[in-house]
Every structure is written in structure tokens, then in C-alpha cells.
Amino acid sequence: MAPSPLLNPDPSDAEVVAEVLAGDTARFEVLVCRYQPRLFGTARRYARREDEVQDIVQEIFLKAFSKLGSWRADAPFEHWLMRMAVHTCYDFLRSHQRNREHNTTDLSDDESDWLERHAPAPASGGHDAEAARTLVAKVLDKLSPPARLVITLLELEDRSVKEIAELTGWSVPLVKVRAFRARAEMKKILRHMASEKYL
Amino acid sequence: MDIDRLQTELLRAARADRPSDRVPLGFERRVMARLAERVRRDPWSEWTAAFWRAAMSGGAVALLAVAVNLATPGAVNDLAEDPELFAAADGAPAAAAEEPAQDLW
């Protein structure tokens, strides 16, 4: 990789991609620096261990580099990259499905408190967000990969069904069906957790 | 126990707490090093891929030609089986070749 002259201090994505495709692979670093915070935020929704998060982000960039020629400039580079990110995270979920089994006895004191306070009579506001987030992470860990992906995109990232269809490559009806099943799956897990807590 | 509301509360709390987008120091260098390693390891990968694509395209064209040939066997066989037509087709160029010679004399 030869060092390239920095002619433009803030080149567009299309310019950088053209330079990389022309053989200046070192310019890919511009794209890495530009999008790595966004990808880390996304990857942390699917993996809890920091080394796994880093591996996911690295894999996304390596895939993006090898498939850079398939990007058409008629759509924003970020959308193309996010589609790749979602697919990589989904692959990660599928390959790590067996390792993500937890018992409800794994709940920390904070998470147990959260359930105690909200299970009998859920009230809005005044709850510990961190405990809720880790509790949600444990619930999500028990979901099937498609259910987890759709709950994350739909409920946590607040994306529309159409956006999810574009990101995942699933049809709109399939996203709706999977969202319905995912909510039912999540309720079942919550019911099980809450009942185990009070038995 | 209201599981619906419990789920709503849990998701609302989780939504409010976005995961960090912090990047470990020097992460871009790690990615670029891995990329350089990959490019160094297989410098002929693009050529190989291009050759494979060309081979596949050539194969597809050959198959298409065979398929078209098999789908229209009459055109070839008619010429071979019809003696008059075959003779006419065979003799025509020879006759045409003789004509200019006669004109010359």
C-alpha cells in the first residue's frame, strides 16, 4: 500500500471509494475512521464482550473492503455499510447461539430488584436504566437470532418495518411476522423469569 | 402480573440507555494492518476471480449455443436431407464463380 497524497481534507465517500478501487488501499482508512463509532454502537447491541464487538466491527470493514466494487453510488455508502453490519451481526448471533444460554439465576441483585419492582405492578419512570438494559440483554440472549435482530432494530433502534426490510433483505410481510413472533417469544421468556422469581 | 406492561417498561428503559459508540484506541490501525495482510497474502485473488468469471461466462455462452442448436435441429437437417436444396446450395457458389470468367472471354 503506497502512501497517498492528501489532496482533499474532507473527501466524499464516493471519492474515497474510487481511490481505493484505483489501487490506493491505504485510503480505506478514511472510511474506517469515519464509520467506526457508528459500527461500534451497532455491534454493542448484539455482543456483550468487548473482544467480540471488536471482531464484529473488524469483520464488517474487511467485508466492506472486499465487496467495495459492488457499491453503487446511487445509494449512500452508509446505508450499504449498515446493511453489511446487520448481516454480520446476524451471522454472529447465529454462530454464537449455543453460547448464549443463561439461567434466570444468573440475574444480578439490581436486575432482580428491577423485576421485583416492576413485575407485580409495572409503573412508568423511576427505574434503574442500567439494570433494565442488562436485564433486556439477558432476555434478548434467550431469543432466537431472527427474533433478537428484529426486536433490536424495531424496538431498541426504533426503525420502521420498511427500513428493517431494506437492512435485512427480508420482505416486509416477513419482518412483520418475525416481529410478532419475537414479541411473543420475549413475553414467554419474561413470564418464565417473573414466575421463577416468585415461585 | 401484567407481562405486556412489563415488556413495554423494560424496552423503554433499554431504549433510553443507548450503547456506547466509543472506539478503542488505534482500532483503525488494527483494521488496516489486517487488510494489508490480506492483500499481501493473495495478490492474485482479483486475477483469479476475473478468470473464473470469464470462464463461467464462456461456459454459459457455449451452453446457450448448444441449447439453441438442439432446439432448432430442422434447419441443419433439412439442408442435409433434401438433395435438391443441398445441390442448389452446393452448386450456387461454383456457378457464381464461373460467371465472371465467362464475362471476361
Side-chain angles (χ1 to χ4, degrees):
Chain A
M1 284 185 284
S4 55
L6 293 173
L7 299 172
N8 186 354
D10 190 22
S12 69
D13 291 341
E15 285 169 338
V16 178
V17 169
E19 286 171 343
V20 175
L21 290 176
D24 191 357
T25 50
R27 292 291 280 163
F28 191 71
E29 192 170 349
V30 175
L31 297 173
V32 175
C33 292
R34 193 171 285 170
Y35 292 109
Q36 56 184 356
R38 178 86 199 273
L39 293 184
F40 267 94
T42 299
R44 285 193 179 107
R45 289 200 185 274
Y46 301 93
R48 282 202 272 175
R49 279 172 33 204
E50 193 56 25
D51 60 324
E52 288 177 337
V53 171
Q54 291 185 20
D55 286 348
I56 290 174
V57 177
Q58 178 178 287
E59 182 62 26
I60 296 166
F61 280 124
L62 292 180
K63 273 188 194 171
F65 179 81
S66 62
K67 294 182 177 175
L68 207 55
S70 70
W71 176 57
R72 300 282 169 265
D74 51 359
F77 179 78
E78 190 176 0
H79 291 186
W80 180 80
L81 189 65
M82 288 312 292
R83 267 204 300 278
M84 209 163 281
V86 166
H87 282 276
T88 308
C89 291
Y90 187 48
D91 289 344
F92 169 82
L93 289 178
R94 286 194 294 186
S95 62
H96 288 71
Q97 196 171 12
R98 282 186 200 163
N99 304 333
R100 292 182 293 104
E101 297 297 325
H102 291 282
N103 294 320
T104 46
T105 48
D106 288 346
L107 295 182
S108 69
D109 291 344
D110 283 348
E111 291 152 16
S112 295
D113 288 348
W114 199 97
L115 261 186
E116 260 176 43
R117 275 184 282 130
H118 293 83
S124 58
H127 45 252
D128 180 4
E130 176 59 23
R133 195 182 68 79
T134 51
L135 189 55
V136 153
K138 284 183 181 173
V139 173
L140 291 177
D141 273 357
K142 288 174 172 288
L143 291 174
S144 61
R148 177 167 182 169
L149 185 71
V150 82
I151 285 282
T152 303
L153 294 172
L154 193 68
E155 303 287 355
L156 303 187
E157 293 188 6
D158 233 359
R159 291 181 187 272
S160 68
V161 169
K162 197 181 165 206
E163 275 181 296
I164 297 171
E166 282 169 8
L167 281 170
T168 55
W170 300 339
S171 66
V172 168
L174 182 61
V175 173
K176 287 180 182 170
V177 167
R178 285 191 164 164
F180 177 78
R181 285 183 189 157
R183 287 193 194 102
E185 211 177 304
M186 194 173 173
K187 268 179 206 159
K188 194 176 166 188
I189 292 164
L190 271 176
R191 193 173 290 119
H192 181 71
M193 273 182 161
S195 64
E196 215 171 68
K197 174 86 188 146
Y198 291 101
L199 280 176
Chain B
M1 188 182 304
D2 190 346
I3 292 293
D4 286 342
R5 284 195 63 188
L6 179 64
Q7 186 182 32
T8 308
E9 284 294 313
L10 199 59
L11 288 173
R12 186 184 296 158
R15 204 179 299 132
D17 188 23
R18 296 174 63 83
S20 160
D21 59 0
R22 184 185 54 80
V23 177
L25 194 67
F27 182 77
E28 63 278 4
R29 284 198 297 276
R30 168 181 157 173
V31 172
M32 293 311 292
R34 188 56 65 90
L35 273 182
E37 192 180 293
R38 186 177 277 197
V39 171
R40 239 193 339 266
R41 201 187 310 149
D42 195 5
W44 293 99
S45 60
E46 281 186 23
W47 281 102
T48 311
F51 281 132
W52 270 113
R53 276 197 294 272
M56 298 290 272
S57 310
V61 169
L63 280 175
L64 192 67
V66 168
V68 167
N69 195 24
L70 288 176
T72 54
V76 177
N77 292 342
D78 286 349
L79 192 66
E81 287 166 9
D82 187 345
E84 282 181 22
L85 191 64
F86 187 74
D90 195 36
E98 282 168 13
E99 277 171 17
Q102 287 167 358
D103 288 345
L104 280 174
W105 290 103

